[in-house]
Amino acid sequence: MGIDPGGIVWRRPADWPFVPKWLLIGCAVGAIAGFGAVGLYELVKLATTWLLVWATGTEPATTVAEAPVHGVIQGTRWWLLPAVVGGGAFISTLLVKLVAPESAGHGTDAAIKAIHYDPTSMRARVPVVKLLASAGTLGSGGSGGTEGPIAQMSAAIGSTLARKLHLSVADAKIVVTAGLAAGIGAIFRSPFAGALLGVEMLYVRDMAPAIPLPAFAASVTGYLVFSSVVGFDRIFEGVGVFHVGIGEILLFVALGLVVGLLGRLFVWFFYLVDRTFVKIGRFPVLRPALGGLAVGVIGMVLPGVLGTGYGNIQVGLDRHLLLAMPLWAVLLLPVGKIVATSLSVGSGGSAGIFGPGLVVGAAAGAALWRLSDLAGVAPPDPGVMVIVGMAACLGPIVHAPIALTVMAIETTREVTLAVPVMIAMAVALTVVGDTTLYRSQLLTRDVSTTESAGAHVVPVPRTRA
């Protein structure tokens, strides 16, 4: 509280009543995050057109929101893929190293680390650098997601706002978390899931009780801003009508087991690649280029691993498109996406690992449906298994099962998915245990950062934020 020169008493935001304060601050950070999500979305599309499609002729699969829907189109200049992917990674990394080194890597983990350790430390330049670097990496064909970059961008926006408003450390943590929630909720058009991610994703075995109101305000506002520009359409369409019987329950249990194992493989292999690249050479700026070169080679054989891969989820929802794919490509895609993402991001490239977790799970659901179809026990349409696999793979390894259940419903607008998702999610959670994709998550709110950090994952040196 203070007094201005005219003798009028004014109150700092920290002194405002709880509900007005967090509705106003949440909406403010959500609006800015929504515009940031628009910028990332459009820039990735533009970069993909100019770098990947124009240079190599390779066009990623599309979602319903990017109609018309089609599978991956293999380009006539496919032999240029290693040079394009590697070159895009090199230029993006050079920008990061020169301007804002803290914006390197997959983004969400850096945001979680800032929330726990120093919520006002994220510089205002981070969103701009992360925007450009991620667009260059993903647009040139690097394997990764958009959620990680927008999470870090939005968290940095929240951190900057917290400094400007002179908020306490406790309030700054809430603002930065609300920014993270708003960014993810906006770009994936899942406002409620985004808010729940803010509640669940900070801890492995706990939730953040002070987050719901500001996170919901920020996430819904971010979603409204983003969708007002790019459209309110659902991202995925084509989940067929299904009935849950004994056979289907057994199938979802099997799917939960498969995606749980794939989730553990993703975490293990990603940090194995991360450790390996840290040891390579004296020039860190070249590491993502080497990773990109390898991803380009993989993309020559399996182009579905390039870019975000969200269109592959939509292809899996379409029975005809899925059956038209070679069986070997369907079976290899889940592991191929894990390898390609680990090479692109684990080498130090700027992209997310949240989105690839969705793609890996969806691809696993599609692969299991193809095998079940050959055995004559598959549901008529693959859509349910694809979306269930998508949610049940990522939810356990980021420790946000409720948020991913809601995201499955929001992205398809199919409420009946809740039961099969929960069945597969329960099995996958049992398989995954405390293994986490984000090293900066704490075990619980009652454990100090010193005791908890890194204790629940495969031990790796903290060489990069």
Side-chain angles (χ1 to χ4, degrees):
M1 183 176 294
I3 302 176
D4 71 8
I8 300 175
V9 177
W10 55 272
R11 302 174 70 189
R12 291 183 181 276
D15 300 322
W16 297 352
F18 180 83
V19 173
K21 175 176 75 174
W22 289 118
L23 284 178
L24 182 60
I25 295 177
C27 289
V29 72
I32 301 171
F35 284 114
V38 171
L40 180 62
Y41 178 83
E42 295 295 345
L43 199 55
V44 168
K45 283 178 60 177
L46 184 65
T48 300
T49 299
W50 283 102
L51 298 177
L52 188 61
V53 178
W54 180 82
T56 71
T58 302
E59 189 170 349
T62 56
T63 66
V64 168
E66 304 164 313
V69 174
H70 62 74
V72 178
I73 299 174
Q74 179 70 284
T76 55
R77 297 180 297 279
W78 53 268
W79 45 273
L80 283 173
L81 280 170
V84 171
V85 181
F90 174 74
I91 294 172
S92 298
T93 305
L94 190 62
L95 172 65
V96 168
K97 295 294 181 184
L98 292 175
V99 183
E102 68 269 33
S103 60
H106 51 94
T108 305
D109 199 50
I112 295 173
K113 183 177 181 180
I115 291 166
H116 287 311
Y117 294 90
D118 193 355
T120 60
S121 64
M122 304 180 78
R123 294 191 290 177
R125 69 180 68 178
V126 168
V128 177
V129 175
K130 193 68 177 180
L131 172 69
L132 297 174
S134 299
T137 299
L138 295 171
S140 61
S143 179
T146 51
E147 289 78 11
I150 192 58
Q152 188 175 14
M153 290 166 57
S154 302
I157 290 167
S159 182
T160 303
L161 186 62
R163 286 198 304 274
K164 298 295 184 183
L165 295 176
H166 304 288
L167 298 180
S168 66
V169 172
D171 281 355
K173 289 183 177 184
I174 296 175
V175 175
V176 177
T177 306
L180 181 153
I184 296 178
I187 205 161
F188 227 75
R189 306 183 204 190
S190 302
F192 296 107
L196 289 170
L197 282 169
V199 175
E200 291 188 285
M201 212 159 58
L202 301 183
Y203 304 97
V204 173
R205 303 177 187 169
D206 211 336
M207 296 185 185
I211 300 301
L213 178 60
F216 272 102
S219 188
V220 170
T221 304
Y223 163 76
L224 291 174
V225 170
F226 179 81
S227 297
S228 296
V229 177
V230 304
F232 286 89
D233 298 327
R234 73 183 92 180
I235 297 179
F236 305 121
E237 187 176 82
V239 179
V241 177
F242 66 98
H243 303 283
V244 179
I246 297 298
E248 286 74 18
I249 291 175
L250 293 176
L251 205 55
F252 294 135
V253 168
L255 180 56
L257 178 62
V258 170
V259 296
L261 292 172
L262 281 171
R264 290 186 69 101
L265 175 65
F266 188 12
V267 174
W268 173 79
F269 191 74
F270 178 81
Y271 286 111
L272 173 65
V273 172
D274 179 90
R275 294 196 304 274
T276 302
F277 271 94
V278 165
K279 301 174 183 177
I280 296 178
R282 298 181 180 179
F283 304 101
V285 73
L286 295 179
R287 294 170 188 163
L290 292 175
L293 186 68
V295 171
V297 172
I298 296 172
M300 293 166 66
V301 179
L302 196 64
V305 305
L306 300 173
T308 64
Y310 301 150
N312 294 323
I313 301 175
Q314 182 61 58
V315 169
L317 297 176
D318 189 308
R319 176 187 176 93
H320 301 292
L321 288 177
L322 182 56
L323 288 173
M325 289 180 64
L327 181 60
W328 65 266
V330 177
L331 298 178
L332 282 180
L333 187 56
V335 175
K337 190 64 177 177
I338 289 175
V339 173
T341 302
S342 300
L343 290 169
S344 284
V345 187
S347 62
S350 186
I353 54 178
F354 181 104
L358 297 174
V359 178
V360 169
L368 187 58
W369 184 86
R370 283 289 299 266
L371 294 176
S372 301
D373 187 57
L374 290 175
V377 295
D381 291 299
V384 177
M385 295 188 65
V386 169
I387 296 299
V388 169
M390 176 188 84
C393 180
L394 183 63
I397 57 176
V398 300
H399 296 278
I402 301 173
L404 266 298
T405 300
V406 174
M407 183 175 284
I409 295 170
E410 285 188 299
T411 54
T412 60
R413 299 180 186 173
E414 182 53 68
V415 179
T416 56
L417 284 170
V419 171
V421 168
M422 287 190 287
I423 294 171
M425 188 78 75
V427 176
L429 281 167
T430 304
V431 173
V432 169
D434 285 345
T435 301
T436 178
L437 198 56
Y438 299 129
R439 295 178 294 180
S440 295
Q441 282 181 327
L442 304 185
L443 287 174
T444 68
R445 287 175 290 144
D446 299 325
V447 180
S448 71
T449 55
T450 302
E451 294 173 315
S452 181
H456 48 280
V457 296
V458 179
V460 293
R462 289 182 176 274
T463 53
R464 261 198 314 270

